[in-house]
Amino acid sequence: MTEFDADEKFDIRKLPRLEIIKPIDSMLRWFVFLIFGFVPVAFVARALTEGKMQTLQALIGLLVYFALFGAMYYGIKRYYVLDRTRNALFRTTRIFGSLHEKYVCALGDIACVAIDSRERTTKNGGSTGQFWYETCLILKNQRVIRLHRTFEDSYDEIQDAEQYAEYLGISCFNPKPGLEMKVVKMSDGKTGVEFCR
């Protein structure tokens, strides 16, 4: 067991690994609920009204379906791991406790961390003045690794990105809402980002 001195300042760089776990956002959760929740219920309700299924069969079928769906929803996770011990970034898939890792790149290949932003719009396409954020790892070969599939509606995204940059010892480019992020070669020859209209 590791003991920590209460007077010693916490240094994130001393951690052997840093897991980047990003949940799907609320809009994607609603989509998953509609597709995998509402559709089966509508199918069973229709079968009941047409007399093709009995109530007990329908109830048992729905319970089994939602138990399997819940197990898959909570039993399968995908996330990234910054591993200082092995000096690499891995994409990890956990399926019911079994871990599968895929090598993505060496930590030295990561040039910087940047936060992309996108404005939220109203149903008719109008501006809301609110922004989604998405953390990206920018590699030295100018490839962009987006750390999650959707934009997050939270300023915590900025704090998380700064934490990743501190762990890696590289620079972090905070978002410039309303501007488009482009990967460029900086004046010192390093890879970075610039925000433009």
Side-chain angles (χ1 to χ4, degrees), residues 31-194:
F31 176 74
V32 168
F33 171 75
L34 285 174
I35 296 301
F36 294 102
F38 179 73
V39 172
V41 171
F43 174 77
V44 169
R46 184 174 177 186
L48 282 170
T49 56
E50 292 176 357
K52 294 179 180 176
M53 192 180 282
Q54 294 179 355
T55 307
L56 185 59
Q57 288 175 325
L59 187 60
I60 291 171
L62 282 175
L63 284 174
V64 169
Y65 175 81
F66 284 117
L68 288 172
F69 173 68
M72 289 184 68
Y73 186 79
Y74 291 104
I76 299 174
K77 298 282 181 203
R78 293 185 82 181
Y79 55 94
Y80 286 98
V81 175
L82 293 167
D83 194 324
R84 190 177 294 287
T85 307
R86 293 182 285 173
N87 197 30
L89 171 70
F90 294 93
R91 185 169 190 164
T92 304
T93 305
R94 189 186 74 215
I95 303 174
F96 303 114
S98 173
L99 289 177
H100 304 279
E101 287 186 327
K102 180 183 175 188
Y103 174 86
V104 179
C105 68
L107 295 185
D109 292 338
I110 303 171
C112 63
V113 178
I115 306 160
D116 198 4
S117 62
R118 184 177 297 167
E119 188 170 13
R120 297 177 71 178
T121 56
T122 60
K123 290 180 183 176
N124 61 3
S127 172
T128 63
Q130 296 175 317
F131 289 85
W132 300 102
Y133 298 104
E134 183 178 42
T135 303
C136 306
L137 297 179
I138 312 298
L139 302 187
K140 290 177 179 175
N141 65 4
Q142 299 192 351
R143 182 177 153 216
V144 177
I145 298 173
R146 296 185 180 276
L147 295 180
H148 40 106
R149 291 163 291 180
T150 56
F151 281 76
E152 295 284 328
D153 186 18
S154 172
Y155 280 104
D156 292 342
E157 193 70 20
I158 297 170
Q159 291 178 334
D160 289 348
E162 289 172 346
Q163 193 177 60
Y164 309 147
E166 184 182 349
Y167 183 76
L168 294 166
I170 56 178
S171 57
C172 179
F173 293 87
N174 284 329
K176 304 255 189 234
L179 301 179
E180 184 182 342
M181 182 184 83
K182 288 190 177 177
V183 179
V184 295
K185 283 281 185 194
M186 307 298 277
S187 57
D188 58 3
K190 294 180 180 177
T191 301
V193 297
E194 87 180 9

